[in-house]
Amino acid sequence: MELNGKVAVVTGAGRGLGLAYAGELARAGAAVVVNDADAGAAGAAAARIAAAGGRAVAHPAAVGPAEAADALVARAVAEFGRLDVMVTNAGVLRDRVLWKMTDDDFDTVVRVHLKGTFTCARAAAVRFREQGEGGRLILVGSPAGQRGNFGQTNYSAAKAGIVGFARTWAMELARANVTVNAVVPVAATAMTETIPALAPYVAAMREGRAMPPFARRALAFGTPEDAAGLVAFLASDAASGITGQAIGIGGDRLSLWTHPTQAVAAYRDGGWAAADIAGVWPAVFAEHEQSVGENLPAAPEGAA
């Protein structure tokens, strides 16, 4: 993908998926503002990109507040003259079951993931509209937001909201030639290491061992770099007609998520009383009830 002359901001780019996204955008020719709450990680990431021949500057900040988002866009313009791509990747985890989750656990995750995506996207949209040349909003979702995940009330809700953002903003920004898509990645990172079924594969990656085919295919689980090509594609002219989509990436799998739609419907003149619903549910609706959670398959004997 040719991104020469483009300028991108990637939040949460000090390590993991964000670093992979920033590195891939730079390799394709974009100049990158590398954001992370950890100043050391942001600086090291920018230096790594520069050492590989790319253009990057570090901008440490915790996303969420409008001031942080506005400053990121201003830094891109000050350093490189414009902004073309905003990748909202920054995130944190505070996993607990519902009855043990504190207000702070909830507020922290929602502030970084959901509000951080909102404020950064808003600041970018203002700039895109001022420039009058379109732009790209690439929002980072999660399978947890699509399917739910045990112990992740805050994270699942925030990630589901991010996909809702993509659908709404795709409509609102269409006339400005700004595309908005959600990436739904699965990769070996510090976040996925907390999932027992995936932890062995994260450890394998850190030890320099190759991911087995079962992980890469059945679990769609690979390295952060495996997910980076999708971000570069969505930032490019090749994806100019793609907007409002939730696109999965991980290991050897590329997928397109459906938007929620009615699975089945029934009609009754005069509406539905509780007893009417009870009478019709077993025969019409029960077989269409939806599952929850990812329900990851177990590795076959010897596959791991």
Side-chain angles (χ1 to χ4, degrees):
M1 295 293 102
E2 184 67 54
L3 298 177
N4 288 335
K6 304 292 188 183
V7 179
V9 170
V10 183
T11 68
R15 54 179 63 83
L17 281 164
L19 176 58
Y21 300 153
E24 187 67 17
L25 290 168
R27 275 189 291 276
V32 184
V33 176
V34 177
N35 160 259
D36 202 276
D38 181 335
R48 176 174 167 176
I49 291 169
R55 292 189 297 158
V57 294
H59 188 94
V63 301
E67 295 79 8
D70 293 341
L72 276 170
V73 172
R75 182 70 185 278
V77 175
E79 293 284 345
F80 303 116
R82 58 184 297 110
L83 178 68
D84 301 281
V85 182
M86 172 65 74
V87 182
T88 59
N89 170 77
V92 295
L93 290 179
R94 297 290 187 274
D95 292 357
R96 284 182 176 80
V97 291
L98 173 60
W99 55 95
K100 293 183 178 179
M101 184 167 289
T102 67
D103 287 1
D104 185 63
D105 294 332
F106 184 87
D107 291 345
T108 296
V109 169
V110 169
R111 180 175 65 252
V112 175
H113 287 275
L114 196 63
K115 188 173 182 182
T117 296
F118 162 67
T119 56
C120 288
R122 180 178 61 186
V126 169
R127 180 64 193 180
F128 293 156
R129 286 166 56 82
E130 288 174 351
Q131 290 176 174
E133 300 173 27
R136 301 286 189 271
L137 292 179
I138 302 172
L139 320 179
V140 180
S142 167
Q146 303 294 96
R147 302 280 304 167
N149 195 38
F150 190 94
Q152 292 193 317
T153 292
N154 44 13
Y155 182 74
S156 295
K159 290 303 191 182
I162 285 169
V163 175
F165 284 162
R167 297 175 188 138
T168 298
W169 297 341
M171 293 185 286
E172 293 180 348
L173 291 167
R175 290 183 63 183
N177 198 29
V178 176
T179 66
V180 190
N181 292 287
V183 172
V184 184
V186 182
T189 67
M191 284 190 173
T192 50
E193 191 174 24
T194 64
I195 303 172
L198 301 179
Y201 304 115
V202 180
M205 184 195 73
R206 288 180 175 168
E207 293 166 7
R209 293 184 280 125
M211 290 275 183
F214 171 79
R216 294 188 60 84
R217 296 238 167 185
L219 303 180
F221 192 68
T223 67
E225 288 71 26
D226 288 321
L230 176 57
V231 171
F233 166 70
L234 290 173
S236 75
D237 291 343
S240 61
I242 302 170
T243 193
Q245 304 303 301
I247 307 169
I249 187 76
D252 295 333
R253 183 193 298 171
L254 175 68
S255 59
L256 184 64
W257 285 88
T258 62
H259 293 343
T261 188
Q262 294 180 18
V264 64
Y267 302 89
R268 184 178 185 278
D269 291 341
W272 294 90
D276 300 322
I277 297 171
V280 76
W281 193 272
V284 177
F285 292 93
E287 66 177 306
H288 298 284
E289 290 175 3
Q290 306 294 292
S291 62
V292 296
E294 276 292 273
N295 300 316
L296 297 174
E301 188 69 27

